[in-house]
Amino acid sequence: AQSVTQLDSQVPVFEEAPVELRCNYSSSVSVYLFWYVQYPNQGLQLLLKYLSGSTLVESINGFEAEFNKSQTSFHLRKPSVHISDTAEYFCAAVGAAGNKLTFGGGTRVLVKP
Amino acid sequence: NAGVMQNPRHLVRRRGQEARLRCSPMKGHSHVYWYRQLPEEGLKFMVYLQKENIIDESGMPKERFSAEFPKEGPSILRIQQVVRGDSAAYFCASSPDRSLEKLFFGSGTQLSVL
């Protein structure tokens, strides 16, 4: 079965500083990877996804994640965060033949002014 | 095109009562997934349904929990004889197919058991 590990439960960061959220998944022959964001009192929104092709994927609001097969990682980065990026971020994975997402435990990002 | 609609947004029940959570998928979506988020934890898969069929219920507790997705109407997650440990946020997601690439989540139902 697929498993996803997010090593950091909380990441405090100052506004305009860079942030990296770590995500590792259990090895699988073929895997799709996702990052979701959950703003306070809201549902999950898809931030970005890796299905195939280029290992670097980007979102429209400045986040990017790199699929690293050898390290079974899919870390999320943003070079300069805003106050509005305060949220919880979830990494998720599914095997290519799977029918359900497996989520990590989440990383809470608190952006301080 | 409205998103995935879940209601109620908040539900309070006393121990032993029944909880019914509703999920209306996006228009054109026939695949529905239910996830549960316990406090300070990530989302855990519960059940995957496609119109009138349960495809995968491997994440559902063996007792008291059931789910349906009838031909007409919303998907329902039903919890009988609720206990305090059932307190959680329950999220529904829908997709037009089983690929999960086009999965959209609702805003969730926060269940509180007193």
Side-chain angles (χ1 to χ4, degrees):
Chain A
Q2 192 69 249
S3 69
V4 177
T5 303
Q6 291 181 245
L7 294 170
D8 307 299
S9 60
Q10 292 189 63
V11 174
V13 57
F14 286 105
E15 194 174 16
E16 297 184 6
V19 71
E20 177 179 83
L21 309 183
R22 295 179 291 172
C23 172
N24 289 89
Y25 62 93
S26 59
S27 180
S28 178
V29 174
S30 182
V31 62
Y32 300 151
L33 296 158
F34 305 79
W35 275 100
Y36 285 87
V37 58
Q38 184 180 28
Y39 298 106
N41 300 312
Q42 295 187 29
L44 276 74
Q45 300 174 33
L46 180 65
L47 196 57
L48 46 75
K49 60 187 177 185
Y50 170 78
L51 304 177
S52 64
S54 173
T55 57
L56 186 65
V57 290
E58 299 176 347
S59 72
I60 58 173
N61 55 354
F63 283 93
E64 63 178 31
E66 186 162 17
F67 170 60
N68 188 320
K69 189 174 182 179
S70 62
Q71 296 185 8
T72 61
S73 68
F74 191 55
H75 301 332
L76 180 71
R77 302 182 184 91
K78 188 170 185 178
S80 176
V81 296
H82 301 137
I83 295 287
S84 59
D85 292 323
T86 293
E88 188 151 20
Y89 293 79
F90 292 95
C91 183
V94 60
N99 61 11
K100 53 182 178 278
L101 285 172
T102 299
F103 285 85
T107 298
R108 197 162 292 168
V109 173
L110 176 60
V111 181
K112 303 176 181 179
Chain B
N1 187 7
V4 179
M5 304 300 292
Q6 288 189 250
N7 67 81
R9 189 80 173 85
H10 300 275
L11 181 61
V12 179
R13 285 288 177 266
R14 296 190 181 278
R15 281 179 295 170
Q17 292 184 318
E18 178 180 288
R20 291 171 69 88
L21 288 64
R22 294 175 183 78
C23 169
S24 296
M26 287 183 69
K27 187 177 180 180
H29 287 196
S30 59
H31 298 248
V32 165
Y33 304 77
W34 285 94
Y35 283 81
R36 176 166 63 175
Q37 184 180 28
L38 293 167
E40 307 300 322
E41 293 187 21
L43 281 77
K44 298 283 191 267
F45 168 80
M46 298 183 76
V47 62
Y48 163 38
L49 309 103
Q50 190 181 356
K51 279 291 185 181
E52 299 185 274
N53 293 305
I54 296 175
I55 307 300
D56 183 345
E57 56 181 347
S58 57
M60 288 278 271
K62 293 290 184 283
E63 298 177 347
R64 301 188 297 108
F65 284 71
S66 62
E68 62 176 9
F69 188 17
K71 187 176 180 181
E72 301 291 337
S75 175
I76 305 289
L77 179 67
R78 182 182 177 205
I79 311 172
Q80 295 178 288
Q81 299 173 347
V82 295
V83 301
R84 289 219 172 109
D86 296 333
S87 295
Y90 291 82
F91 289 96
C92 168
S94 74
S95 174
D97 53 46
R98 67 181 299 275
S99 68
L100 295 177
E101 301 171 33
K102 301 159 213 161
L103 194 66
F104 287 86
F105 280 82
S107 295
T109 293
Q110 181 65 51
L111 172 65
S112 299
V113 180
L114 304 179

